Amino acid sequence: ASLAIKQGLVQLDPSKVAWQRDLAVGHDKIGEVKEAEGDRAGALAAYRASLAIREDLTQRDPGNTQWQWDRSISNYEIGDVLLAEGDHKGARAAYQASLATAQQLAQQDPGNAEWQRHLSICHERIGNVTLAEGDGQGALTAYQASLAIAQQLAQQDPGNAEWQRHLSISHGKIGEAKQADGDRGGALAAFQDGLAIRERLVQQNPSNAQWQRDLIQSHWSLADLAEQMNDAKEAREHWQVALKLTQELADSGKLARPDRRFFKSIEQRLAALGAP
């Protein structure tokens, strides 16, 4: 309904760039809902409609950093859908387009923390598609570029919880790449670094469901790695913590519907390990 109104306004006066941007945002919102529903084709169509508007706005005013920023975000949203669809080539092209714009913005204003974070995320996305292609070392290079920025942001503003969370995600990505590349010791160290940050965040705000979910993910990653290292005791301990945290999240009413599958998955992994 919102999109229909925005389309009507743009038809009345296509020259109003603010209305054009509103329309692009409307397509993005449609894409987010469709993506959440599992309608990737619908999400991709919506994101591409948004990108087309943003490309046009950028061509009208190449020096407008807001238009450039918007275009970069549209590209990596498209990349996310394509990666989920298994279209690695398409995803890489979208991510590289996003990264190119992000690098230009970061060079224009190195002190802009939001642009630096966006650049870090773009490197992370390149790492994601590279890892999906089976290139653990290539993914590690991209993730390390992302981590370096995340570390700098966290050091500049240690009290910024969002920067700290982003840093924990970067450590986790490093761990995934090292694990895929066979460096289990390096993966363990990276996962533990991410876990330490997430434990601190949850201690600061135990009611934050996202931070609790992140903590579950850290224990999940460590449990999976311990199984690969044939350390059943360590794996069992991490699975049990992950199960406890999931139950606490469910008891508080904050466990997202899709995450209810965690119970069955963790219980199956524990059963496979056998009795202590």
Side-chain angles (χ1 to χ4, degrees):
S2 174
L3 183 67
I5 295 170
K6 292 172 179 176
Q7 288 172 325
L9 289 171
V10 166
Q11 289 172 359
L12 286 173
D13 188 352
S15 68
K16 281 190 176 290
V17 294
W19 290 358
Q20 291 283 351
R21 183 173 188 268
D22 286 346
L23 180 57
V25 172
H27 283 299
D28 280 339
K29 294 298 183 182
I30 295 291
E32 289 170 9
V33 175
K34 287 184 177 292
E35 191 173 5
E37 290 178 337
D39 179 5
R40 291 174 184 158
L44 190 58
Y47 289 145
R48 281 176 169 161
S50 175
L51 177 62
I53 296 170
R54 289 171 166 170
E55 291 280 13
D56 179 64
L57 289 174
T58 302
Q59 289 174 1
R60 293 190 198 186
D61 184 3
N64 189 310
T65 56
Q66 181 65 63
W67 302 161
Q68 294 176 39
W69 164 275
D70 290 346
R71 182 180 60 178
S72 183
I73 291 175
S74 283
N75 272 308
Y76 87 60
E77 287 175 333
I78 289 170
D80 286 349
V81 178
L82 291 174
L83 181 58
E85 287 280 274
D87 182 357
H88 296 164
K89 182 179 179 181
R92 178 175 289 279
Y95 288 148
Q96 286 176 332
S98 181
L99 176 64
T101 304
Q103 287 173 325
Q104 291 174 1
L105 289 171
Q107 287 170 1
Q108 289 177 35
D109 186 0
N112 189 313
E114 284 295 339
W115 289 358
Q116 289 293 333
R117 179 174 182 270
H118 180 58
L119 178 58
S120 177
I121 291 172
C122 287
H123 281 300
E124 177 193 308
R125 293 302 203 276
I126 294 290
N128 289 347
V129 70
T130 305
L131 189 61
E133 291 170 337
D135 181 2
Q137 190 58 46
L140 181 60
T141 299
Y143 288 147
Q144 285 172 332
S146 176
L147 176 65
I149 299 171
Q151 288 175 322
Q152 184 178 22
L153 289 172
Q155 289 170 0
Q156 289 174 358
D157 188 1
N160 188 315
E162 191 58 39
W163 293 167
Q164 292 294 328
R165 178 176 185 261
H166 181 57
L167 180 58
S168 77
I169 292 172
S170 291
H171 282 303
K173 292 295 183 180
I174 293 287
E176 290 175 17
K178 286 181 177 289
Q179 186 175 5
D181 211 37
D183 181 4
R184 293 174 179 171
L188 178 61
F191 287 144
Q192 287 175 334
D193 285 341
L195 174 65
I197 295 171
R198 289 171 173 178
E199 287 177 333
R200 289 197 298 271
L201 288 174
V202 170
Q203 287 174 358
Q204 291 172 19
N205 186 359
S207 65
N208 189 306
Q210 180 60 66
W211 294 353
Q212 291 178 26
R213 189 185 190 281
D214 290 345
L215 190 55
I216 293 169
Q217 181 59 58
S218 283
H219 283 288
W220 191 300
S221 296
L222 284 162
D224 185 67
L225 180 63
E227 287 184 12
Q228 288 189 9
M229 299 172 75
N230 297 314
D231 189 341
K233 180 177 180 295
E234 187 75 10
R236 189 178 294 107
E237 289 176 357
H238 283 296
W239 285 128
Q240 288 171 340
V241 174
L243 185 60
K244 177 177 178 291
L245 292 169
T246 302
Q247 186 61 62
E248 290 175 353
L249 205 53
D251 291 343
S252 69
K254 295 179 180 178
L255 184 68
R257 186 183 297 269
D259 292 344
R260 293 175 187 173
R261 69 186 188 281
F262 288 176
F263 285 112
K264 183 177 181 180
S265 297
I266 295 172
E267 288 168 352
Q268 287 176 339
R269 298 292 285 269
L270 279 168
L273 288 171

